[in-house]
Amino acid sequence: MVLAQLGGSISRALQQMSNATIIDEKVLSECLNEISRALLQADVQFKMVRDMQANIKRIVNLDDLAAGHNKRRIIQQAIFNELCKMLDPGKPSFIPKKGKTSVIMFVGLQGSGKTTTCTKYAYYHQKKGWKPALVCADTFRAGAFDQLKQNATKAKIPFYGSYTESDPVKIAIEGVERFKKENCDLIIVDTSGRHKQEAALFEEMRQVSEATKPNLVIFVMDSSIGQAAFDQAQAFKQSVAVGAVIVTKMDGHAKGGGALSAVAATKSPVIFIGTGEHIDEFEVFDVKPFVSRLLG
Ligand code: GDP
C-alpha cells in the first residue's frame, strides 16, 4: 500500500467511526482494527502496530469521556500523536554547523540510493552556502567512483576517490584529510553497499567509521523494502553509530511503513526523503506535516 492510500484508509476509518451514532468500545475497536490493517499493509512492523493500538485504547477511555466530549476528535488526536511518536525517536540528530568541519558517513545496501543521496545532501547544503565535498569509499562496486564523480562534477562539488586503490579505509582517511585541509565544512563519505547484509560489509563500515570518526552516520533506506526495513536498519546500527535516516524513492510505489521501522530500529530520526532521481528531488523531513498529510 502506498502512502497516499494509507492516508486514505485511515481517514476513511475515522470517517466511518464518526458516522456511528454512538462511539462505544466496539466502534472504536473496529476503527483501530481498520487503521492497523492499513498500517500493516503499508509495511509497518507488526509489533509497532500492536503497541499503537494498545496505547490508543489506554489513552482513549470512552467511559471517562463525558457525553459532551468530541470523541472523534480525541481519538483522531490520539492516532495523530501515536503516529508522530513512531516517527520521532525523542532526540534530534546531530546538526552540522556551517563553517565548522563535519564528517558525515553514509551507509546502506547497494541500490538503496546511497550515492545519489550523498550528492543530493551535498547539493542541498551547497545551495545554502556550505562548502561540501564527496569522498567515494566504495571500492566494492565497479563504477561506484565514476558515478560519484559524474554526479559531483555536474553539481560542481569537489570529490575524492581512486580507480586503483582497493582499501576503502585508506581512501576514506585520505579524502577526509584532504578536504579538512581545504576547509570544507561538510565532508561526505559514501561507502560500499553490497547486495545484502553480510558480515564483511558491517566490518568494513566499522573500520571506515573508526578511521574517519564521523560526526554523523546516516542510514539510507529504499522506501520500498517493506518489512525488511527493521532488521536491515538494526544490523547497520549494531556495527556503526547510525544517528539519522534518509528514506529514498518516496516518489515511486513507496510503502511508507519501512520508515517507521527504521526509526524504531535505529532510534534515529528521518531527516530527509528522496522524491526522485534528480539532484534536487530531496526534501527535509518533518514529522508533524508528514503525519497530517497521511491522515488527510
Ligand atoms: P547505491 O547503490 O545505494 O549507491 O544507489 P544509487 O545511488 O546508485 O541509486 C540506485 C538507483 O536508485 C539509481 O537509479 C537512482 O537514480 C535511483 N534513486 C535514488 N534515489 C531515488 C529517489 O529518491 N527516487 C527515485 N525514483 N529513484 C532514486
Side-chain angles (χ1 to χ4, degrees), residues 109 140 192-207 235-236 238-240:
L109 288 192
F140 186 79
S192 80
R194 321 259 166 124
H195 292 296
K196 55 183 173 61
Q197 302 158 33
E198 51 185 82
L201 169 65
F202 294 123
E203 177 54 22
E204 184 176 318
M205 293 305 104
R206 207 186 52 71
Q207 287 178 14
F236 276 99
Q238 278 161 2
S239 46
V240 283

Side-chain angles (χ1 to χ4, degrees), residues 198-246:
E198 51 185 82
L201 169 65
F202 294 123
E203 177 54 22
E204 184 176 318
M205 293 305 104
R206 207 186 52 71
Q207 287 178 14
V208 172
S209 167
E210 218 170 80
T212 56
K213 308 236 172 331
N215 300 89
L216 175 66
V217 178
I218 299 178
F219 169 63
V220 178
M221 186 199 102
D222 180 335
S223 60
S224 65
I225 62 168
Q227 290 287 344
F230 190 89
D231 288 347
Q232 197 183 104
Q234 196 173 45
F236 276 99
K237 175 81 178 183
Q238 278 161 2
S239 46
V240 283
V242 172
V245 177
I246 294 182

Side-chain angles (χ1 to χ4, degrees), residues 17-32:
M17 183 181 66
S18 55
N19 288 344
T21 341
I22 302 165
I23 298 179
D24 54 13
E25 290 292 340
K26 186 166 167 281
V27 173
L28 175 61
S29 281
E30 271 168 19
C31 172
L32 291 180

Side-chain angles (χ1 to χ4, degrees), residues 77-89:
Q77 188 64 44
I79 293 167
F80 180 83
N81 291 345
E82 281 302 309
L83 286 172
C84 287
K85 236 169 61 188
M86 282 186 186
L87 280 161
D88 181 2

Side-chain angles (χ1 to χ4, degrees), residues 6-23 27-28 30-32 34-35 70-73 75-76 79 294-296:
L6 171 64
S9 304
I10 293 178
S11 29
R12 240 186 341 273
L14 287 168
Q15 191 55 47
Q16 264 165 21
M17 183 181 66
S18 55
N19 288 344
T21 341
I22 302 165
I23 298 179
V27 173
L28 175 61
E30 271 168 19
C31 172
L32 291 180
E34 198 63 41
I35 291 170
N70 184 341
K71 290 180 185 172
R72 178 181 191 259
R73 215 183 54 75
I75 292 165
Q76 196 163 8
I79 293 167
L294 209 60
L295 294 179

Side-chain angles (χ1 to χ4, degrees), residues 109-116 120 147 249 251 274-277:
L109 288 192
Q110 189 165 315
S112 60
K114 193 159 26 69
T115 303
T116 310
K120 285 177 171 179
Q147 187 190 347
K249 309 185 195 180
D251 49 309
T275 54
E277 295 194 51

